[in-house]
């Protein structure tokens, strides 16, 4: 596992150094804060999909879940004037239920994950647009909104989810703390609990795992629930970060960023492989690329092109490393 | 006979290794024109590897390979075909949706002006098909033929490439007795026409009937050759096993205890019309013999809950159990070492430790936390009890040899101390040394009072290991043989359905 | 070894991109001249024309400019502006995507650099000035075009990308008010009809605005919206496209339904397909904001604020141009010339 992370870590450092050399302003505190903030937001989402990818599944609905959760949260807070913590609760429960639904459809109704979550992508996006008549909305209430009476509490929430904590002269964005807590929890879950072990086993060989007496269906459902839950967390973070939720656009495409980060971070789409640290670093690499493009002044039209190329090269490099490691192991035994 | 004809194929010093296994260690083999050479040996002895090299599917690491006095080295199957060598696979490769003529000439269709010359193709196909005794319209769909006839089409296909050497890998493993007889006629006819045949089989009876000469492999090496008049059962087994049978299968018959498993009118979903009744007692090793496809694997899988039973009664220790999935089977004290260890037995990308502890992980955990010392201990016990050869516990199982992999599958169940241990083809594809370890462990566990039920296609294994055996034929139990009734002939008769239960 | 080659290759190609970008953008390396960012609300040919104006101004005033087009809405717009601030940009002209909710962030930008809005305003923010067309007036002018296209009256349908944007709502309201003979409203106090309202009409008006369909910048959706409207409303007389790509989509749909001439098209902006249709008489006319003026005036404004001159007014109104068959050819020539000039940077 360690060897897999090395490649992506070198990539991170390399882009970092090159950008810093070309434009030293890249290193200023404001830019670093932003970089940390965006990396954290996207990494939370990517961690979620890593659970599913480890089991050999896929979740294409993440972006729409982010969007729907952000919409529902905004409606509850701003238009309904609901108690702010209950609104957060509702948003998270919604995401858990979505994951549960995916898991049950995949394991019990035997629909392929690709199909289930592709339909989810369409349905949740459309629900978000319908709930809002496709009008932009944000979690922060204005004077005329029902939620205005909770303004103070909502501002607290805004600080919790998108504030900055001064550490000396550096302002640490709070999403970074969420990422830290969630990634440590995810790493412990995957490496220290039996369920984490089962997810890896199931992703490598579902039949073999079932023959060892493990309830593979339940573990798969768990993976989808976790995935949607993390997407829901990301939805809340994005809503507060942007203060503006566009039902048709917020979260659009994010599933692909998340999957790209998971793959670049060492998860195999065949299942059974992946590490939390790798995914977090990969999510940071993707955000770093975006930032570098702006800092260096490359045409924004090249963004996707460069991103695609880096992911491809990263995955190829990873594959080469794996091959070498495998060869060494094979030689060891003979 | 006195004239000296140089051999058609001469192989010497051939070596081939795979990651983790040295499959062939300098083997030699020679084949004369118009002879049937039987190649026998235990699974994992290297027969299939050699055949794949001869047919150009794999290439050797070192060694000489001479055809008609000319040194050759095949890069692919086409190279081998050009030299007249064709391999008839164990699994047939016909396209079921094409007719016979198209199958025979698949990829080599005679053409005229860019289009397939249908009439020429049909005419030629007819000739090759009749050469193997198939007189049926060439526009019959291949998929509509029974398996035995499909095999003859494969042979016709090989003949159409001007094959001089046919390699047949366990051709009778899924044939009925009648189909087998037909095949033998065809083989003898081909031999009479000067075609040489390398015949790989586990069925020693067939070898005695068919072979002009026998070459025996053991552990990737030549164990010896037998001329026509030396071919008999005892000689072949002695060369294959390397010692006398009684020494290899070191069995003591234990006094069986109470019934651990009892099935009454038990029905598997794959053969719903054939209710099965059997029982296994504590301390007893019971074999299930039969041909491939007789429903033995399905029976074990149903007992284990992979494909839950659709009727009948199953009792464990005299208590009725409903087993709907492997989880409930395991909690009832049942363990299964499956036939396909790569697909069902192990999680190959995981380590020795992770595989060994997989079933016991939950039992040893507290509130979901993995108990690492218990995990270590479980692995340690499995590795030492079965003498698993691994550099360390973190070794990924994919890179271990078949024998060591199989030992890990067995080892992971030891930690669960099952009451009933089921093994499906426990020694398929593993080396002699690992085989011995597994037999010894089975004997030891039975001595400690475990009930053991195993399925095997290897006659020697059933004869050597079982206290008692059931024989299955086409989904039903065609007979039960007590220890003193066990013989190759009795088993074959029941397995092929010639005799009802004695 | 192979890994090292592969990684080396990756970094090398990456580095090349960076250097290539450096040459092209050339923004951070030049001398003391100020650097301004021109931030759009998406990717569209309209913005390419604006960029042309930016390039002209860049030369004329001796400044450096970066044109940023966020591909995916608010998120991209936010991070691009953040990066500009980090780079120490001297001024930003932005077309905000969701003005109300983006206000706190726009204020953050305003604290760090000169902030002006263009094309779309964020009235609650601390932007120094808004450069824009009076979209309500432009909408009314478009309404007049519709009236001259179908003087006998009839059913009118409006097509637009998104109605979350203030400028889109204002344009739409201008069209509606003009057609229904309502009185002129003040730009900052425009009252809007609900976005869902169908069959809008008023006593004494010959016109019915049967519906408004949005497509979220999806061009294919824009076309199918136009197709569906012909199926649904058999008596449709005129299609009004409020975003640049809407009128060509309408013309396409009408052409395929063999209804050219039977259904009139009035549009906004100046895509070639629309201009061609005006030349051929298949579309009636369009309102052009002369996009190059956006780019040009934005940079001019930033430069003057940078030099210490505060704008006199919070609103800088850009004139719009009514284009119909009488002036389409000279206008088109001007557009081509502008586009060509813009490419030369």
């Amino acid at each position: 596992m360690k060897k897999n992370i090395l490649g992506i870590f070198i990539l991170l450092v390399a882009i970092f150094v090159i950008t810093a050399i070309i434009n030293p302003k890249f290193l200023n505190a404001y830019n670093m804060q932003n970089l940390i903030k965006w990396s954290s937001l996207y990494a939370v989402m990517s961690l979620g999909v890593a659970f599913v990818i480890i089991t050999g599944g896929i979740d294409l609905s993440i972006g729409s879940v982010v969007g729907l959760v952000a919409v529902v949260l905004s409606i509850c807070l701003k238009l309904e004037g609901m108690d702010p913590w209950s609104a957060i609760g509702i948003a998270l429960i919604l995401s858990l239920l979505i994951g549960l639904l995916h898991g049950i459809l995949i394991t019990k109704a035997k629909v392929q994950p690709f199909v289930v979550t592709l339909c989810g992508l369409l349905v949740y996006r459309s629900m978000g647009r319908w709930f809002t008549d496709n009008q932009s909305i944000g979690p922060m209430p204005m004077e005329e909104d029902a939620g205005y009476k909770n303004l103070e509490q909502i501002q607290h929430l805004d600080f919790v989810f998108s504030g900055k904590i001064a550490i000396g002269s550096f302002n640490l964005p709070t999403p970074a703390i969420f990422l830290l807590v969630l990634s440590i929890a995810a790493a412990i879950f995957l490496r220290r609990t039996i369920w984490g072990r089962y997810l890896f086993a199931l992703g490598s060989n579902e039949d073999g795992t079932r023959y060892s007496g493990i309830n593979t269906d339940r573990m798969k459902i768990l993976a989808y629930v976790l995935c949607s839950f993390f997407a829901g967390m990301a939805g809340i973070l994005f809503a507060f970060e942007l203060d503006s939720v566009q039902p048709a656009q917020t979260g659009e495409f994010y599933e692909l960023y998340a999957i790209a980060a998971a793959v670049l971070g060492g998860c195999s789409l065949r299942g059974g492989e992946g590490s939390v640290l790798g995914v977090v670093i990969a999510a940071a690499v993707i955000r770093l690329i975006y930032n570098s493009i702006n800092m260096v002044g490359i045409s924004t039209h090249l963004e996707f092109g460069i991103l695609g190329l880096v992911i491809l090269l990263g995955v190829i490099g990873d594959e080469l490393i794996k091959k070498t490691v495998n060869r060494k192991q094979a030689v060891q035994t003979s | 006979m006195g004239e000296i004809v140089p051999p058609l194929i001469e192989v010497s010093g051939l070596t081939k290794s795979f990651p983790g296994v040295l499959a062939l260690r300098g083997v030699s083999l020679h084949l004369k024109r118009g002879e049937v050479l039987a190649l026998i040996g235990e699974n994992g002895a290297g027969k299939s590897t050699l055949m794949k090299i001869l047919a150009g599917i794999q290439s050797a690491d070192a060694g000489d390979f001479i055809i008609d006095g000319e040194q050759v080295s095949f890069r692919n199957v086409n190279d081998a075909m050009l030299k007249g060598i064709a391999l008839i696979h164990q699994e047939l490769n016909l396209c079921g949706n094409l007719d016979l003529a198209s199958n025979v000439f698949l990829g080599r269709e005679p053409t005229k002006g860019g289009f397939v010359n249908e009439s020429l193709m049909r005419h030629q196909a007819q000739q090759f098909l009749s050469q193997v005794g198939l007189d049926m319209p060439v526009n019959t769909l291949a998929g509509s033929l029974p398996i035995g006839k499909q095999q003859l089409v494969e042979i016709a296909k090989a003949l159409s490439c001007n094959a001089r050497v046919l390699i047949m890998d366990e051709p009778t493993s899924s044939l009925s007795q009648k189909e087998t007889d037909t095949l033998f006629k065809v083989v003898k006819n081909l031999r009479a026409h000067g075609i040489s045949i390398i015949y790989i089989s586990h069925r020693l009876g067939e070898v005695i009937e068919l072979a002009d000469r026998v070459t025996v492999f053991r552990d990737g090496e030549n164990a010896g050759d037998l001329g026509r008049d030396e071919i008999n059962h005892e000689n072949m087994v002695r060369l294959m096993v390397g010692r006398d049978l009684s020494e290899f299968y070191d069995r003591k018959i234990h006094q069986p205890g109470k019934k651990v498993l009892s099935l009454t009118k038990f029905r598997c979903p794959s053969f719903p019309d054939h209710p099965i009744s059997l029982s296994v007692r504590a301390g007893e090793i019971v074999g299930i013999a039969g041909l491939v496809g007789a429903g033995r694997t399905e029976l074990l899988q149903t007992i284990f809950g992979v494909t839950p039973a659709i009727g009948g009664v199953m009792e464990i220790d005299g208590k009725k159990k409903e087993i709907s999935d492997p989880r409930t089977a395991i909690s009832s004290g049942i363990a299964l070492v499956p036939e396909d260890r790569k697909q069902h037995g192990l999680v190959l990308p995981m380590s020795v430790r992770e595989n060994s502890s997989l079933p016991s992980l939950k039992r040893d955990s507290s509130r979901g936390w993995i108990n690492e010392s218990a995990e270590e201990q479980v692995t340690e016990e499995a590795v030492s009890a079965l003498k698993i050869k691994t550099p360390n516990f973190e070794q990924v199982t994919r890179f271990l040899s078949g024998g060591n992999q199989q030992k890990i599958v067995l080892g992971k169940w030891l930690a669960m101390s099952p009451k009933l241990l089921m093994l499906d083809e426990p020694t398929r594809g593993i080396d002699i040394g690992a085989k011995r370890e597994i037999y010894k462990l089975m004997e030891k566990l039975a001595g400690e009072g475990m009930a053991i039920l195993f399925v095997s296609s290897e006659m020697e294994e059933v004869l050597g290991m079982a206290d008692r055996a059931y024989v299955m034929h086409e989904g039903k139990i065609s007979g039960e043989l007590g220890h003193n009734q066990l013989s190759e002939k009795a088993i074959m008769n029941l397995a092929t359905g010639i005799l009802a239960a004695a | 070894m192979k890994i090292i080659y592969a990684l080396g290759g990756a970094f090398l190609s990456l580095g090349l991109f960076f250097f290539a970008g450096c040459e092209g953008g050339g923004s951070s390396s030049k001398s003391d001249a100020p650097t301004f960012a021109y931030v759009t609300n998406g990717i569209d040919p309209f913005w390419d024309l604006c960029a042309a104006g930016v390039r002209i101004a860049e030369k004329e005033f001796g400044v450096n400019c970066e044109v940023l087009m966020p591909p995916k809405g608010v998120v991209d717009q936010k991070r691009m502006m953040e990066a500009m601030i980090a780079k120490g940009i001297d001024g930003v002209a932005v077309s905000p995507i969701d003005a109300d909710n983006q206000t706190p962030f726009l204020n953050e930008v305003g604290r760090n650099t000169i902030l002006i809005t263009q094309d779309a305003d964020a009235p609650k923010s601390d932007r120094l000035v808004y450069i824009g067309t009076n979209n309500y007036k432009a909408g009314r002018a478009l309404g007049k075009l519709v009236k001259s296209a179908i003087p006998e009256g009839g059913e009118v349908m409006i097509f637009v990308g998104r109605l979350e944007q203030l400028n889109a709502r204002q344009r739409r309201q201008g069209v509606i008010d003009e057609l229904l003979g309502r009185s002129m409203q003040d730009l900052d106090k425009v009252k809007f009809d609900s976005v869902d309202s169908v069959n809008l009409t008023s006593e004494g008006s010959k016109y019915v605005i049967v519906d408004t369909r949005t497509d979220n910048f999806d061009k294919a959706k824009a076309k199918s919206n136009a197709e569906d409207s012909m199926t649904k409303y058999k008596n449709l007389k005129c299609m009004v496209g409020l975003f640049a790509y809407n009128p060509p989509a309408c013309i396409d749909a009408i052409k395929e339904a063999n209804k050219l001439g039977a259904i009139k098209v009035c549009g906004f902006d100046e895509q070639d397909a629309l201009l061609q249709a005006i030349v051929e008489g298949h579309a009636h006319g369009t309102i052009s904001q002369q996009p190059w003026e956006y780019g040009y005036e934005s940079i001019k404004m930033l430069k003057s604020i940078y030099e210490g001159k505060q704008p006199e007014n919070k609103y800088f109104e850009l004139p719009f141009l009514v284009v119909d068959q009488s002036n389409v050819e000279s206008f088109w020539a001007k557009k081509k010339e502008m586009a060509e000039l813009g490419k030369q940077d």
Side-chain angles (χ1 to χ4, degrees), chain C residues 14 47 58-59 95 106 170 208 237 259 321 328 334:
Chain C
L14 209 71
W47 291 119
E58 189 178 32
K59 264 193 199 126
S95 168
L106 291 173
Q170 289 168 338
V208 185
K237 285 281 178 292
K259 289 187 176 165
L321 185 71
V328 62
K334 167 94 174 168

Side-chain angles (χ1 to χ4, degrees), chain A residues 7 10-12 14-15 18-19 22-23 25-26 28 30-31 34-35 37-38 42 78 129 133-140 142 144 164 238 240-254 257 287 289-306 309-310 313-314 316-317 320-321 324 327, chain C residues 1-7 9-15 17-22 24-28 41-44 48 66-76 78-89 97-105 108-109 112 124 161-165 169 195-196 214-217 221:
Chain A
I10 294 172
L11 193 64
L12 182 82
I15 302 176
I18 294 175
T19 315
I22 295 177
N23 187 351
K25 284 179 187 156
F26 166 76
N28 73 28
Y30 179 73
N31 197 46
N34 289 332
L35 197 53
K37 176 184 75 189
W38 291 118
Y42 286 92
K78 182 174 174 160
R129 292 174 61 177
D133 287 333
N134 205 20
Q135 298 302 301
S136 289
I137 188 173
M140 303 303 289
M142 317 236 170
E144 66 274 17
K164 291 196 168 96
F238 271 107
F240 280 107
E241 174 55 36
L242 298 172
D243 292 329
S244 163
V245 180
Q246 297 162 283
Q249 276 190 311
T250 299
E252 201 184 4
F253 238 37
Y254 286 9
Y257 290 128
R287 297 331 297 176
I289 291 170
Y290 274 114
N291 187 250
S292 301
I293 288 168
N294 283 323
M295 294 313 291
V296 172
I298 300 172
S299 162
T300 46
H301 294 315
L302 272 174
E303 275 179 355
F304 285 161
I306 294 175
L309 208 65
V310 170
L313 288 171
I316 291 171
L320 289 175
I321 293 177
T324 322
R327 208 175 301 136
Chain C
M1 269 326 265
K2 272 185 189 162
I3 308 159
I4 297 168
Y5 288 142
L7 284 176
F11 294 146
L12 200 67
S13 51
L14 209 71
F17 266 120
F18 282 118
F19 287 112
C22 236
S27 47
S28 53
N41 66 7
I43 299 171
D44 191 89
D48 293 336
E66 286 196 41
V67 177
L68 300 168
M69 303 190 182
K72 286 276 161 200
V74 175
V75 191
D76 285 340
K78 181 168 189 183
R79 80 176 159 79
M80 282 175 171
M81 285 203 276
E82 281 178 352
M84 287 305 120
I85 294 172
K87 266 170 95 166
I89 200 90
I97 297 172
D98 179 11
D100 283 357
N101 292 314
Q102 276 180 306
T103 300
F105 172 65
E108 186 188 324
V109 176
N112 285 287
K124 291 176 193 155
R162 267 198 310 227
L163 279 174
E164 291 105 276
Q165 281 169 240
R169 285 203 296 264
V195 295
D196 298 326
T214 60
D215 53 53
N216 272 292
F217 289 132
K221 183 85 197 310

Side-chain angles (χ1 to χ4, degrees), chain B residues 186-236:
Chain B
V186 170
V187 168
K188 285 172 184 165
N189 181 31
L190 292 174
R191 169 170 64 188
H193 283 84
I195 290 174
S196 307
I197 286 143
I198 301 179
Y199 190 91
I200 303 174
S201 180
H202 276 117
R203 307 223 170 120
L204 302 184
E206 293 176 0
V207 173
I208 295 171
E209 179 177 347
L210 215 53
D212 300 315
R213 212 151 48 76
V214 174
T215 293
V216 187
F217 278 11
R218 186 173 65 233
D219 264 344
E221 289 172 330
N222 284 75
D225 279 15
L226 298 170
R228 180 74 203 119
D229 41 4
E230 296 168 306
I231 300 176
N232 63 42
H233 202 256
E234 290 70 31
N235 280 343
M236 287 192 280

Side-chain angles (χ1 to χ4, degrees), chain A residues 85-161:
Chain A
W85 285 106
S86 315
I88 299 282
I90 284 179
L92 289 178
I93 288 169
L94 172 70
S95 64
L96 290 172
L97 287 178
I98 287 174
L100 190 64
L101 178 70
H102 289 169
I104 287 170
L105 284 173
I106 289 161
T107 54
K108 306 300 177 198
K110 308 277 179 215
V111 191
Q112 284 166 338
F114 192 98
V115 177
V116 169
T117 58
L118 179 68
C119 297
L121 177 150
L122 299 170
V123 171
Y124 310 138
R125 176 64 61 200
S126 154
M127 278 165 70
R129 292 174 61 177
W130 184 58
F131 287 163
T132 55
D133 287 333
N134 205 20
Q135 298 302 301
S136 289
I137 188 173
M140 303 303 289
M142 317 236 170
E143 255 173 280
E144 66 274 17
D145 296 319
Y148 196 68
K149 60 180 196 287
N150 300 323
L151 185 66
E152 205 177 322
Q153 268 177 293
I154 297 175
Q155 276 165 344
H156 282 306
L157 281 186
D158 190 44
F159 177 78
V160 170
F161 289 103

Side-chain angles (χ1 to χ4, degrees), chain A residues 192 194 197 205 211-213, chain B residues 301 327 343 346 375 412:
Chain A
R192 292 272 177 265
I194 57 172
R197 177 75 58 81
N205 183 347
Y211 272 70
S212 293
Chain B
Q301 288 187 336
R327 245 175 345 127
Q343 188 58 34
L346 288 175
E375 198 185 359
K412 75 177 185 182

Side-chain angles (χ1 to χ4, degrees), chain B residues 92-100 103 140-145 150:
Chain B
L92 302 177
N93 291 318
L94 294 183
C95 301
N97 55 339
L98 295 182
D99 66 18
L100 298 183
N103 265 299
T140 315
L141 286 187
S144 66
L145 295 183
Q150 287 195 24

